[in-house]
Amino acid sequence: METRPRPATARVPLTVRCLDAQGRPVRLSARSLGRGSNDLQALLRSAYGAVRGVPAAEPVTVSFIEGEHGQLRLEYLALGAPPCRRRFGLRGRRTRRDGCEEVATALAQAALVVGEAVETIGVLTTAGSARWTAADTPEFVDLVRDDGLVRRVPAAVRTLVEDPQTLDLFRGALTLFVADDVERLIIGRDPETPGRYHEVVLIRSPELLRFLGGEPLSSLAGADPAP
C-alpha cells in the first residue's frame, strides 16, 4: 500500500552554491548532505516551535534538490496539518485560510531566524571581539563588533548562538567546509520574489574551522550577559 506524501502547507525556497578556492563549483558529498540536512532540519524545527509559541501540530522539514553547476535548491516546508484542513461553511473556510496564513508566517519567521543565525556566525568568525547590546525594541538585539560594525538581529538569534547544543547543530549544518573543503558558501534568499533576491556569503577561515572543530566562538568570549 502506497502512502501519499503529505502536501506542503507552506514553503520557503532558498538556493545554495558551494565554491572551492579556485571559484569552481563543489558537489557536496553524501556525508555533508546527510548530516547537514538532518541538523538544519533540527534547527528549523527549534526555531519554528519558538516562533509558534505552542507545540506545532504540523511537522516542518527540509528538502534538497541538486541542480546544475553545483547549485542546490533548498526548501523549508511545513506539511499539511489540522489548521489547514478544508471545512464546510464560511466560518470554516475562514478558519482554514487563517490557519494556513499563521503556518506560512511562522515558517518564514523561522527561516529568517535560522538564516540570520548562520550569517551571525559568519560575522563572529571574522571579528576580533564582539558584544551584544540591547536594541530600542525587545524583539531585536545589536551585535557590536570591535571594528564598529553593528548588526541588528532578532533576539531569537542570540538565543540560538548562545546555546551550546544549538551550536553543535550549526556545526553539523556547516560541515561541508570540513568534509568537502568548501571555500565559499553562498546562500540565496527569496529566489522567487522579483526585487527581493539577495545573497549571503560565508567564507572559510581558520576561526570558522576552529568553531566547526568544537571550539567556542572566541570573539564572543567577553560578551555582555543576557538581560
Side-chain angles (χ1 to χ4, degrees), residues 73-158:
R73 181 177 181 83
L74 186 153
E75 288 187 332
Y76 296 152
L77 302 171
L79 304 182
C84 294
R85 289 176 182 164
R86 185 174 301 281
R87 299 177 182 175
F88 296 102
L90 178 60
R91 183 178 179 183
R93 287 197 297 272
R94 181 178 297 131
T95 299
R96 179 180 185 274
R97 182 181 66 246
D98 292 347
C100 289
E101 289 174 354
E102 288 177 5
V103 169
T105 299
L107 184 65
Q109 291 176 343
L112 174 65
V113 168
V114 172
E116 290 284 346
V118 169
E119 191 171 354
T120 296
I121 288 174
V123 170
L124 289 171
T125 58
T126 61
S129 64
R131 58 188 174 86
W132 297 107
T133 62
D136 54 355
T137 172
E139 288 81 14
F140 292 88
V141 293
D142 290 339
L143 179 64
V144 184
R145 292 190 356 168
D146 55 347
D147 59 4
L149 175 69
V150 179
R151 176 175 173 78
R152 178 161 293 190
V153 297
V157 170
R158 179 178 183 176

Side-chain angles (χ1 to χ4, degrees), residues 31-95:
R31 175 188 173 190
S32 289
L33 287 174
R35 183 181 177 189
S37 62
N38 287 338
D39 288 354
L40 183 59
Q41 186 166 268
L43 285 168
L44 180 64
R45 287 174 176 169
S46 176
Y48 185 77
V51 168
R52 289 283 271 162
V54 295
E58 60 281 356
V60 293
T61 188
V62 177
S63 171
F64 283 93
I65 302 174
E66 191 169 6
E68 297 180 351
H69 309 297
Q71 179 166 295
L72 291 173
R73 181 177 181 83
L74 186 153
E75 288 187 332
Y76 296 152
L77 302 171
L79 304 182
C84 294
R85 289 176 182 164
R86 185 174 301 281
R87 299 177 182 175
F88 296 102
L90 178 60
R91 183 178 179 183
R93 287 197 297 272
R94 181 178 297 131
T95 299

Side-chain angles (χ1 to χ4, degrees), residues 39 66 83 92 111 138 150 176 182 191 198 213 218 226:
D39 288 354
E66 191 169 6
V150 179
L176 51 90
V182 169
H198 66 285
S218 59

